[in-house]
Each structure stands twice: as C-alpha cells, then as structure tokens.
Amino acid sequence: IGMYKTTNGGYSWKFIGLPEAGQIAKVIVHPKNPDLVYVAALGNIFKPNSERGVFRSNDGGESWEKILYVNDSTGAIDMVINPDNPRIMYAAMWRAERKPWTMIDGGDKGGIYKTEDGGKNWEKLKTDLPEGILGRIGLAISPTNPQRVWALIVAKKEEDSGLYRTENAGKSWSKINRDHRLTQRGWY
C-alpha cells in the first residue's frame, strides 16, 4: 500500500506515497542526508504497472521521482549503496508475476544495474554475468571494501546460477559458488 514514515521511533506513521509500488524490497536512507531516500519497488506482481523500479525522494518522502525503470513487468528487488561514496549504487531488477495458473520468475530485462551519479544515469552490468532470462538477484556490498560486491543470481540455465563476486566495482565478476542449495528457491 505504499511508503510510510515515522519521525517518533515508530509510535505513529504517516503515508508518504508510492501507493501502487506493490512489494517494496529495500529502503535506503542516504548516510549523510536523511531527506535523501531511495526505494527499490518490485511493483504489482499480479499485473503490469508502471510504479516499479528505483525511486528517489530529496525531501524525506514528500515527493518521489522514478530514477530507474526497465518496463511495466520488471521491478527492483534489491539495492545496495557504496558506504564510502553514496552516489554509487547497484540495483537488482527482476520480472516476477503471479497468475492463477502459473508463476513467471525471470525475464531478459532483469539484471544488475549500476549508477555512479546518484541515480541520474544507470548502466546494466554484463561482463562475466549470466545472460538471457534471469530470476531473482540478491546483492551485498562490503562495508570495508566497497569495490567488492556479491550477487546471488538465479538464471534460467542452471549452470549460470550461483554466487558471483566483483573486486572492482562491477567491471568484472567471478562465480565463487554454484551450490544449487543457494538458488533452488529463488522466489523466496
């Protein structure tokens, strides 16, 4: 039902927008500016909708701007921010749809997107990462070495699924673990 905000430690909450964002996967508050907020929104998983992707608020949630949008069926499921340079962020995009007769898990527009300018421009990372239909992706960034990022990727081709790591902020990636137990229930 959207975003809510508390300014009193959770005693009361105020609705602050994004009513059609569906599942909100991640909320990141800028480490030095609490009015600058980023939201990863998966969207409505039962039908296509445009309130998907990454949103930014510069005024503590009073208004929202969509800064990463792939299409009306692909939303953001995870996002991490570089603790040393908060203008650098990574977002995991995923197509997920539930129908009465099936579940759609993945699409060719999904993947890892990176910005180095606070969300003004985004690039889809491709070097050494699986191609084609990708499922859910989980992200983590090292707090002590932000050049190191991990991505847990579910891919259509089982041999492409696994845990990937970059040591150079996404320029190249290595698969470091392909144990099926890590990705067998990617929807969750």
Side-chain angles (χ1 to χ4, degrees):
I1 57 175
M3 284 288 296
Y4 283 78
K5 176 181 177 179
T6 181
T7 56
N8 58 14
Y11 289 104
S12 62
W13 294 84
K14 175 186 171 192
F15 175 74
I16 58 169
L18 303 179
E20 301 298 323
Q23 178 181 335
I24 294 174
K26 184 71 83 75
V27 177
I28 295 177
V29 179
H30 190 281
K32 294 184 175 129
N33 178 0
D35 284 332
L36 185 51
V37 181
Y38 299 93
V39 169
L42 185 58
N44 185 333
I45 62 170
F46 299 102
K47 65 180 182 179
N49 76 314
S50 61
E51 207 165 285
R52 298 177 180 267
V54 177
F55 293 84
R56 176 179 59 207
S57 176
N58 292 309
D59 53 16
E62 296 299 319
S63 63
W64 294 95
E65 171 188 15
K66 191 180 332 181
I67 59 172
L68 176 58
Y69 178 74
V70 173
N71 62 33
D72 66 0
S73 298
T74 305
I77 191 60
D78 203 358
M79 186 171 46
V80 292
I81 190 168
N82 181 320
D84 292 345
N85 181 355
R87 295 181 57 73
I88 299 173
M89 293 179 289
Y90 303 83
M93 304 300 284
W94 178 38
R95 180 180 180 204
E97 291 182 52
R98 285 186 184 252
K99 306 286 184 194
W101 58 90
T102 191
M103 227 168 39
I104 299 170
D105 178 10
D108 61 352
K109 302 292 185 209
I112 303 170
Y113 290 74
K114 179 183 178 182
T115 181
E116 295 182 349
D117 57 13
K120 188 175 185 182
N121 298 290
W122 293 84
E123 170 192 9
K124 184 176 182 181
L125 302 180
K126 297 178 181 177
T127 304
D128 304 320
L129 291 171
E131 296 177 3
I133 295 177
L134 299 178
R136 186 171 181 158
I137 298 172
L139 297 171
I141 191 167
S142 170
T144 58
N145 176 10
Q147 297 291 307
R148 181 177 295 148
V149 180
W150 293 270
L152 185 57
I153 300 175
V154 177
K156 183 174 183 177
K157 290 198 249 177
E158 180 61 34
E159 64 270 15
D160 288 343
S161 293
L163 183 62
Y164 289 76
R165 181 180 64 210
T166 179
E167 297 287 341
N168 54 18
K171 291 184 182 94
S172 62
W173 295 80
S174 299
K175 189 185 329 177
I176 59 172
N177 191 319
R178 58 173 283 184
D179 189 329
H180 177 68
R181 290 175 293 180
L182 294 175
T183 59
Q184 67 184 350
R185 298 195 47 120
W187 185 273
Y188 300 101

